[in-house]
Amino acid sequence: MHDYQRAFLNFAIEIGALGFGDFTLKSGRQSPYFFNAGLFNTGARLARLARAYAHCIIASGVEYDVLYGPAYKGIPLAAATSVTLATEHGQVAPYAFNRKEVKDHGEGGLIVGSPLAGRILIIDDVITAGTSVRESVDIIRAAGAIPAGVVIALDRQERGQSTRSAVDEVRATFGLPVYCILTLTDLIAYLDEQPSEPGFLTSMHHYRSKYGA
Ligand SMILES: O=P(O)(O)OC[C@H]1O[C@H](OP(=O)(O)OP(=O)(O)O)[C@H](O)[C@@H]1O
Ligand SMILES: O=C(O)c1cc(=O)[nH]c(=O)[nH]1
């Protein structure tokens, strides 16, 4: 694990964005941990998260025309990352996001922000079973644009629709590169270094053996 990843984990745990307990996920899985990007809820916290995303994008060298943040939590991520790419890396970084319900008045429609055209880089918080990425790919293609890759804070390294990992499925099915700031392997290595409640790591390992790829 790199120092910047350790610092990011320290910070996420300090502000409660990485929480431990019993959580029901979008996939219906019961998880002993949860990454809540909604708790990067001040300008200073969000700026720090956006710097990590922007760093990941620049380091990857991925080429894109528009950043796309899936509703809901992807919305501030895409917007804040766009600001950081513009102010710290000199990129124009247009961004867009979807509505979960189509708007039937005013400007109407499903997409807010930049039109979805060209190569679209999906900016989300986590990948678990890969459903959210599949939904985003459908929206991007329906708009006539081309998905270019996925950037996430945490790859939970879980099975997707098959025995393969959700990230492998995204790569194989859509030919999309996936870039992440952290993986579950990093998180477990970090937790191994910390004094923790007895039984806590056991529940992480148990969860991983049930849903891990
Ligand atoms: O890989 P998956 O199994 O799809 O799980 C990960 C997705 O689940 C959450 O979205 P959700 O729509 O639940 O939450 P939000 O409205 O809070 O963004 C999360 O933000 C990811 O987008
Ligand atoms: O799978 C999910 O629904 C999920 C997992 C997680 O760690 N964080 C989140 O926002 N959603």
Side-chain angles (χ1 to χ4, degrees):
M1 195 185 349
H2 298 287
D3 286 348
Y4 78 89
Q5 291 174 310
R6 192 174 284 104
F8 184 79
L9 272 169
N10 270 327
F11 185 61
I13 289 171
E14 184 188 311
I15 66 172
L18 196 53
F20 303 96
D22 187 18
F23 303 91
T24 304
L25 306 185
K26 179 171 173 157
S27 51
R29 298 173 187 177
Q30 288 297 131
S31 169
Y33 77 101
F34 192 79
F35 183 77
N36 181 0
L39 290 176
F40 289 83
N41 56 10
T42 68
R45 289 177 181 183
L46 188 57
R48 186 156 172 178
L49 183 59
R51 273 201 293 278
Y53 275 85
H55 175 266
C56 189
I57 291 168
I58 299 292
S60 73
V62 65
E63 295 189 352
Y64 69 94
D65 296 302
V66 179
L67 305 176
Y68 171 75
Y72 289 99
K73 293 213 205 77
I75 297 172
L77 298 179
T81 302
S82 164
V83 170
T84 305
L85 287 169
T87 55
E88 298 185 14
H89 300 281
Q91 298 191 356
V92 179
Y95 79 95
F97 56 88
N98 65 310
R99 298 179 189 278
K100 284 203 180 186
E101 307 80 21
V102 177
K103 184 172 173 178
D104 64 1
H105 59 278
E107 83 279 18
L110 184 74
I111 301 300
V112 184
S114 173
L116 288 180
R119 298 159 299 181
I120 313 297
L121 187 58
I122 298 165
I123 311 287
D124 206 358
D125 48 6
V126 304
I127 289 182
T128 303
T131 308
S132 175
V133 172
R134 287 191 291 275
E135 289 166 355
S136 293
V137 166
D138 286 347
I139 289 170
I140 291 164
R141 287 181 173 165
I146 305 156
V150 184
V151 186
I152 48 173
L154 177 65
D155 172 8
R156 295 177 52 107
Q157 297 179 308
E158 295 186 27
R159 285 201 296 276
Q161 295 177 308
S162 63
T163 52
R164 300 170 75 179
S165 79
V167 162
D168 276 354
E169 287 180 355
V170 167
R171 289 189 178 120
T173 312
F174 304 119
L176 290 182
V178 177
Y179 307 103
C180 65
I181 299 167
L182 292 167
T183 63
L184 175 62
T185 302
D186 298 321
L187 172 57
I188 288 179
Y190 173 89
L191 293 173
D192 265 333
E193 295 170 359
Q194 316 293 318
S196 66
E197 307 265 324
F200 174 67
L201 267 170
T202 313
S203 61
M204 295 288 286
H205 285 298
H206 176 72
Y207 180 80
R208 191 171 205 184
S209 63
K210 193 163 177 192
Y211 293 114

